[in-house]
Amino acid sequence: QPAPVGVPGHALLGGICLARHYHNRPELTEQRFTPNPLSPPRSDPRTYHTGDLVKWRPDGTLEFIGRIDNQVKLRGYRIELGEIENALATHPHVHATAVTVREDTPGSKQLVAYIVPTPGHAPATHQLRAHLQQQLPDYMVPAVYVTLDQLPLTPNGKVDTKALPAPDHHRPDLDTTYTPPRTDIERTLAAIWSEILGIDTVGIHDNFFELGGDSIISIQMIARAKKFGVHLTPRLIFKHQTIAEIAVQAGTATPVDAEQGRVVGEVPLTPIQHWFFEKDLPAFDHFNQAELLVTDGLDPDVLRLALADLIEHHDALRLRCADEADGWRQYLDDTVDTGILDVHDLSGVADEALAPVSLDVAEETQQSLDLAKGPLLRAALLELGATRGQRLLIVVHHLAVDGVSWRILLEDLGSCYERRAAGLAPLLPAKTTSFRSWAQRLHDFARSAQARAEFAYWSEPKPAGRVPRDRDGRNDLGSAAGVVARLSPEETRALLRDVPRVFSTQINDALLTALAHALRDWTGDDETLIGLEGHGREDLFPDVDLSRTVGWFTSVFPVALRLEPGATDAVASLDSVREQLARIPNKGVGYGILRHLGAPDVASVLRRQPTPEVNFNYLGQFTRDLPGIGRYAGPEEPKGHSISPDGMRWNVLDVTAAVEGDTFGLYINYSTALHDRRTVEHLADGVLGHLRELIAGSADGAADARRESPGVPLTDVGDADMAAILKRFSI
């Protein structure tokens, strides 16, 4: 699989006399010398794996990036340390550099950069961070920078990483002067920062992220601050990044409503649950979300304990629903389900028969949930044998889970499993606002003046939501199919990093601009009605924190996007689309509240509006690895039908975007009874084409900005980290 220009890949060499020390070492020879799939007849049939990571430049030369054995994994990301070192080396005042991962505080790993500056020029920490942020994603920007006179070397001239000194506890060289704490809250926060960041002296105007903080450390800071009666939130920290600013906000912060015991009792239906029960489904019990994980060595008995810990801690997993004479009702049960894990020994199944047998297990698991009696979570552990490992299928009814919830559940499952395996009780973070409390608050909000004020926006006339068909058939799940289109890793990085920075926009604005243009190319209409999905966990109430609450919070709302007739490409339309999306009140959560919980006169108006036939959902970024558990299985491995295949599809086109690893993917689900595959493929190609227009425009804009304002960073740490958090918590 030859790598294209600009994409890092492994360097393979052909020919004779390539390497020494392989004589009479057949196992090592077989490992490093492999068949050359590109080899023409009668030429050298093998290639030598050098262990180097390189990429082609546009001029045809090879650029050395680093050693493959210099790759590390940090918080789910695979990072090439050599790529960071190369980026640092481009700074005009960096003579030599080395980057490593250190864990000087147990459980707290961080990237540390060692710098040998050019004579007479020692760049400050904020200058190095700004330099790297123009070239690398945020997770590859080191947290700590250490200046050395020279790098320690081994006898053969390589950097001796074991001899690199631990970072000291002194305050780094920042662009702000030191100002000591003045109030009790400032002194408390300074002490907490000093402890968790390992810095002796912290000033009240020092930037949290320039001191080495990140999103994970911010959660630790919140937990420790609560012990001293200081209530913080992730949003507050990313918006106000200094102690002086945080202290002002923390002094007026409202304590969070968060029950810590087992929450039981009646739960009002939320808007998305009303939306669900209004559907004509053949089986309400069979409407799930599922994850299939590649695992190895999981102990079934320990796994059962960990799964029970999840159900004990996350109340929504104990939901029960009953169809009664006056409609559906739900409540939280007070018992923890048992017998939810089935173990299947498939070690004796041949490779060619494994997929259908695994599919049978998955289908059985998917059909085993019961809304009335429970459970709403079931799992199947497939033992595939010593060489094939395990597969863990976890199925949860959609009423109890969404995209944000999966991130919480899988992280907590890994934590509980590791502690149970060590013979310890689970130790999970404190609960945030309960799902029951959120549902009750939404019902109160629905009749408020604040919600009613949104009605003017949502009642605006909407265009017809119909898209062209190739044929008029039955839009059922049995006819469902899908197409996939992807950007390259290099394009993905530019889309995530450069487009938001250069155009001062969010990733969702860019994606919807490209989608609107592709739909206009197809339909010829300047105005398009699109159904948007959001995570639904909006800041409606100052005392509500849903950052660790599991449940189905999704918001679904219609948006009419209008493109100016003269806007021929996505760059020309981006500002307009961004402004249209910015008009949406409370990020769309109010539409469902008014339509399903609002007064009858309000709800009836919204129900008469046209229904979008195109639905869009951006799932954010996913890493393949899961701490303590394993990694996500590939899409080709069977998970079974998450929704009963006997039902109807609710949209004509379902457009989903996600970043998995380092690749952006666009997934369009459609019905073969309505559209030809080539029609949908053309639409997908159109979306990517317009995204590439934005990427090219961002490259031009960045170049212009550098010419006009040399040395000035295009963004600051807060915006970058806030963008990462928003992606993580998108549905």
Side-chain angles (χ1 to χ4, degrees), residues 444-729:
D444 297 337
F445 180 81
R447 303 301 177 99
S448 68
Q450 182 181 354
R452 187 87 187 203
E454 293 188 16
F455 178 66
Y457 173 84
W458 294 115
S459 60
E460 291 176 0
K462 303 287 191 301
R466 188 175 173 84
V467 297
R469 269 88 161 153
D470 295 320
R471 62 185 66 85
D472 290 320
R474 177 179 167 83
N475 188 21
D476 57 20
L477 286 166
S479 67
V483 301
V484 182
R486 292 185 172 90
L487 294 176
S488 70
E490 186 178 37
E491 291 171 327
T492 300
R493 181 176 299 178
L495 176 65
L496 297 177
R497 182 192 65 200
D498 298 336
V499 170
R501 182 178 61 205
V502 172
F503 294 118
S504 300
T505 190
Q506 297 181 16
I507 183 65
N508 225 36
D509 302 338
L511 298 178
L512 285 166
T513 299
L515 176 61
H517 265 276
L519 288 171
R520 183 175 71 173
D521 295 341
W522 179 29
T523 66
D525 295 328
D526 292 328
E527 194 167 19
T528 303
L529 186 64
I530 299 175
L532 295 189
E533 290 191 25
H535 57 68
R537 301 169 186 242
E538 310 303 344
D539 288 336
L540 297 179
F541 316 106
D543 60 340
V544 167
D545 176 9
L546 301 174
S547 59
R548 278 192 46 81
T549 307
V550 168
W552 192 9
F553 292 87
T554 305
S555 57
V556 183
F557 51 96
V559 173
L561 293 179
R562 177 172 178 78
L563 302 177
E564 294 299 326
T568 57
D569 61 30
V571 175
S573 301
L574 184 56
D575 283 345
S576 173
V577 170
R578 178 179 56 208
E579 291 171 1
Q580 294 175 61
L581 294 174
R583 287 190 60 228
I584 301 174
N586 283 321
K587 299 182 181 178
V589 69
Y591 174 82
I593 295 174
L594 291 172
R595 190 182 189 281
H596 297 287
L597 308 180
D601 60 323
V602 170
S604 63
V605 171
L606 301 184
R607 287 173 178 161
R608 291 195 299 268
Q609 291 182 331
T611 301
E613 292 190 337
V614 179
N615 195 72
F616 177 77
N617 188 10
Y618 175 53
L619 298 175
Q621 298 185 64
F622 293 85
T623 177
R624 307 302 301 175
D625 298 298
L626 300 165
I629 293 291
R631 59 182 174 84
Y632 291 102
E636 72 282 354
E637 298 200 41
K639 292 194 292 188
H641 286 93
S642 291
I643 303 174
S644 171
D646 299 326
M648 298 294 294
R649 298 179 69 250
W650 299 330
N651 302 104
V652 174
L653 296 172
D654 282 301
V655 183
T656 302
V659 178
E660 297 181 85
D662 59 358
T663 303
F664 172 86
L666 185 76
Y667 309 85
I668 303 183
N669 189 266
Y670 68 101
S671 168
T672 57
L674 301 180
H675 289 108
D676 295 329
R677 184 177 183 85
R678 63 177 179 272
T679 299
V680 184
E681 288 176 338
H682 185 71
L683 176 64
D685 290 341
V687 175
L688 293 196
H690 290 296
L691 286 176
R692 290 187 175 106
E693 291 174 355
L694 292 171
I695 292 169
S698 70
D700 295 340
D704 292 342
R706 285 193 293 269
R707 283 192 293 268
E708 294 172 8
S709 186
V712 178
L714 296 177
T715 185
D716 63 328
V717 177
D719 289 340
D721 277 283
M722 175 60 91
I725 282 294
L726 291 176
K727 290 178 200 128
R728 178 176 295 114
F729 284 97

Side-chain angles (χ1 to χ4, degrees), residues 399-456:
L399 284 177
V401 76
D402 57 15
V404 175
S405 300
W406 274 112
R407 291 164 165 84
I408 301 167
L409 287 176
L410 294 178
E411 180 180 338
D412 285 359
L413 179 61
S415 172
C416 291
Y417 183 89
E418 287 183 332
R419 290 189 63 84
R420 289 293 188 180
L424 302 172
L427 184 61
L428 295 175
K431 288 183 175 183
T432 48
T433 304
S434 71
F435 183 76
R436 184 183 67 173
S437 178
W438 171 254
Q440 293 168 341
R441 300 290 287 273
L442 291 186
H443 276 257
D444 297 337
F445 180 81
R447 303 301 177 99
S448 68
Q450 182 181 354
R452 187 87 187 203
E454 293 188 16
F455 178 66

